[in-house]
Amino acid sequence: MQISNYISNVSRVVAKFTAQDEKAEPEKEASGVSAADAFLKEARKTPAQRIRDQILARMKLDEESLASMPAEKRAAVEKQIAEELKRQLSGEKDRRGAAVDLTA
């Protein structure tokens, strides 16, 4: 008899928390985007897109500020980004300083 009372109490508690979870909205950051949405947005990017974002962040720029630059300045920044992308995607950054004698 005690086990059946225990099970019914547990069932009521589980039902209560399940109902509360269904009503709750996912937590959102100040920007109004949930952490899961932000993660999925980042996960769907290609490696080139991630590298581009990193390069722009190092330059303290974003896509909007890049688009609003004068044509000559934007072309120079795009050239730097293209060179860095090529270097990173081709693996050249891994070879720098790799002239080490490993025959010990």
Side-chain angles (χ1 to χ4, degrees):
M1 197 63 124
Q2 283 183 333
I3 293 175
S4 64
N5 288 339
Y6 177 76
I7 292 173
S8 66
N9 287 338
V10 170
S11 298
R12 270 190 255 126
V13 170
V14 169
K16 179 181 175 182
F17 283 109
T18 303
Q20 287 176 354
D21 286 347
E22 289 173 357
K23 292 177 187 175
E25 290 185 28
E27 291 186 30
K28 295 190 176 187
E29 296 176 6
S31 64
V33 178
S34 72
D37 291 340
F39 172 78
L40 289 174
K41 182 180 177 184
E42 190 66 26
R44 289 182 179 126
K45 289 182 181 179
T46 65
Q49 289 171 324
R50 286 191 195 108
I51 293 170
R52 180 181 174 88
D53 289 347
Q54 291 171 356
I55 295 168
L56 286 174
R58 269 189 302 203
M59 295 177 167
K60 296 184 170 91
L61 296 171
D62 58 10
E63 292 293 342
E64 292 81 26
S65 61
L66 183 64
S68 65
M69 283 182 171
E72 293 173 358
K73 198 170 184 180
R74 184 175 60 239
V77 170
E78 290 286 355
K79 183 178 177 184
Q80 284 180 323
I81 291 171
E83 289 170 357
E84 181 70 13
L85 272 170
K86 181 181 174 187
R87 189 176 67 75
Q88 287 192 28
L89 291 176
S90 67
E92 287 181 27
K93 77 172 189 175
D94 298 332
R95 288 188 290 224
R96 277 192 294 161
V100 177
D101 186 12
L102 301 175
T103 59

